[in-house]
Amino acid sequence: MTAVPVRAPEVGDAGRMLAAESARYAALGWMRGTSGNLSVRLSADPLVLAVTASGLDKGELTAADIVLVDRDGAALPDQPGPARRPSAEAGLHARIAAVTGAGAVVHLHALPAVLAAERWPAGVPLRDHELLKGLGRGADGDLVTVPVVPNSQDMRVLGDAFQKVWRPDVPALLVARHGVYVWGDDLRAARQYLESLEWLLRFVTAAG
């Protein structure tokens, strides 16, 4: 009897979407080496995520290169497909999905995010930029502060730090000297937020 509360076709669809989206970000230079990870929610109760597998070139993933994890980021038993290890950051993906209700979480090591977190460790202020509309915010007079938390190799510590600074109107988190997490209802929504935020962070770090 399987412990995975989702159907094989759903898992296959999730794998194909995650592979395609990973290839997109790798082509942009945002998932260098084997860095970064993406997830989609397959079940809310119990929480089950499909997460990109660890240690693989994100520009070359196949639909089979995913792992199903529970609300703690631990791999579920009796999974379809080859045995893979989940990303070390799967626990933070799961915490973000559980707290925000997100259908997808994207984590990248894009350089502007790391530079911005270094420059504004208390949170990155963004205001009066047209691309704030891409975050669902106003382009005139609407202050958006992207939260920053210290890095940790312990996902429970990072999850607690995220939960302390999380605001429902800012779908992003910067982890100092690490990268950015963005989430949305699905991968397409997360992509919109991420691409808008990456441009904004490039602008403010270049402008000083």
Side-chain angles (χ1 to χ4, degrees), residues 60-114:
E60 300 178 352
L61 296 185
T62 71
D65 294 326
I66 61 171
V67 185
L68 305 187
V69 301
D70 63 16
R71 67 179 301 108
D72 297 316
L76 295 174
D78 304 324
Q79 303 203 26
R84 300 288 194 199
R85 288 186 299 112
S87 162
E89 283 117 2
L92 184 52
H93 281 251
R95 179 75 75 93
I96 290 171
V99 170
T100 68
V105 181
V106 174
H107 167 51
L108 304 175
H109 293 203
L111 185 58
V114 181

Side-chain angles (χ1 to χ4, degrees), residues 127-202:
R127 190 175 202 156
D128 298 332
H129 294 283
E130 192 68 21
L131 269 180
L132 283 170
K133 293 177 181 177
L135 298 176
R137 301 293 294 270
D140 184 14
D142 187 6
L143 175 63
V144 177
T145 302
V146 183
V148 178
V149 298
N151 195 18
S152 174
Q153 301 307 304
D154 186 328
M155 292 305 110
R156 288 190 177 89
V157 171
L158 267 182
D160 290 345
F162 151 71
Q163 206 159 343
K164 287 178 182 176
V165 299
W166 172 64
R167 290 180 48 182
D169 58 345
V170 182
L173 174 74
L174 302 185
V175 180
R177 301 200 171 189
H178 188 165
V180 58
Y181 286 81
V182 176
W183 52 90
D185 290 341
D186 53 27
L187 283 171
R188 185 179 292 273
R191 180 204 304 167
Q192 173 185 309
Y193 295 148
L194 177 64
E195 291 185 349
S196 299
L197 179 61
E198 192 273 345
W199 187 95
L200 289 162
L201 296 178
R202 268 197 292 138

